[in-house]
């Protein structure tokens, strides 16, 4: 039931749906609840996202001027396959590793940028601190950005160059949904 509403909104916003494929599975859904501190907690039901494969993206979209942005609501195999294709075409590859899951060593050398929030950094790198982020950056040979909620964000390159930025002060947090994005 969510598919038709989502597609209608996308079409109304002018999104080109010509490459859309339909699946017999239900539409993927993320349910977001907000705790009393304004922090979100997300549960994902992948649904049709499980039908995504690494060969679905037409080769014509992958070129040196392309920035491919991936996320973990599809299988790791699909992401790895399209990341390999993108890298071979000279494209840049960004992975926002949400929802978190352990990362295979196969990712090393495929990413330009890995983006994680605090809980994803703990799941993937063992901790949400600059040292763990630096270790991930070296291991994956990719710039690593960890968003730290009210503490801002840290970014590190594989060679150890880093940047830390604080968050803007807020009087009251109501809902952090998509704030990390």
């Amino acid at each position: 039931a969510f598919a038709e509403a989502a597609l209608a909104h996308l079409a109304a916003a002018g999104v080109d749906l010509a490459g859309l494929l339909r699946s017999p599975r239900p539409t993927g859904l993320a349910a977001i609840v907000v705790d009393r501190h304004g922090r979100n907690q997300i549960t994902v039901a992948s649904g049709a996202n499980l039908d995504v494969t690494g060969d679905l993206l037409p080769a014509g979209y992958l070129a040196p001027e392309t920035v491919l942005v991936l996320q973990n609501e599809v299988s790791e195999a699909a992401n790895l396959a399209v990341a390999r294709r993108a890298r071979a075409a000279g494209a840049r590859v960004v992975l926002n590793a949400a929802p978190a899951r352990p990362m295979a060593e196969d990712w090393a050398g495929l990413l330009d940028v890995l983006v994680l929030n605090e809980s994803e950094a703990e799941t993937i790198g063992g901790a949400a601190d600059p040292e763990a982020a630096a270790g991930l950056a070296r291991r994956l040979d990719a710039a690593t950005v960890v968003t730290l909620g009210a503490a801002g964000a840290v970014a590190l390159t594989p060679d150890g160059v880093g940047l830390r930025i604080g968050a803007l002060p807020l009087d009251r947090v109501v809902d952090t949904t998509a704030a990390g994005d």
Side-chain angles (χ1 to χ4, degrees):
F2 292 109
E4 296 312 317
L7 293 173
H9 285 294
L10 290 168
V15 175
D16 180 0
L17 300 175
L20 180 84
L21 297 176
R22 292 207 177 248
S23 166
R25 297 181 198 254
T27 299
L29 178 69
I32 303 169
V33 295
V34 179
D35 71 14
R36 62 188 159 117
H37 303 289
R39 295 177 302 224
N40 66 58
Q41 300 168 8
I42 305 169
T43 299
V44 175
S46 296
N49 294 342
L50 295 173
D51 290 337
V52 172
T53 61
D55 61 350
L56 289 177
L57 184 64
Y61 286 117
L62 300 174
E65 62 273 9
T66 300
V67 177
L68 176 67
V69 180
L70 303 170
Q71 46 70 33
N72 279 342
E73 289 188 25
V74 301
S75 74
E76 183 171 44
N79 274 342
L80 279 166
V82 76
R84 286 183 185 107
R85 291 179 53 221
R87 179 61 79 207
R92 288 178 171 53
V93 181
V94 177
L95 173 63
N96 185 323
R101 61 179 171 225
M103 290 182 70
E105 292 300 320
D106 296 354
W107 283 105
L110 291 178
L111 297 175
D112 291 284
V113 181
L114 173 66
V115 181
L116 311 151
N117 67 21
E118 291 172 285
S119 64
E120 294 153 2
E122 289 175 14
T123 297
I124 296 168
D129 60 41
E131 214 170 284
L136 274 174
R138 282 189 305 275
R139 186 181 108 205
L140 298 172
D141 193 25
T144 301
V145 178
V146 181
T147 61
L148 302 169
V154 61
L156 291 121
T157 63
D159 58 3
V161 176
L163 170 69
R164 185 173 192 126
I165 187 166
L168 296 174
L170 300 172
D171 293 330
R172 183 172 147 247
V173 175
V174 176
D175 182 349
T176 61
T177 304
D181 298 335

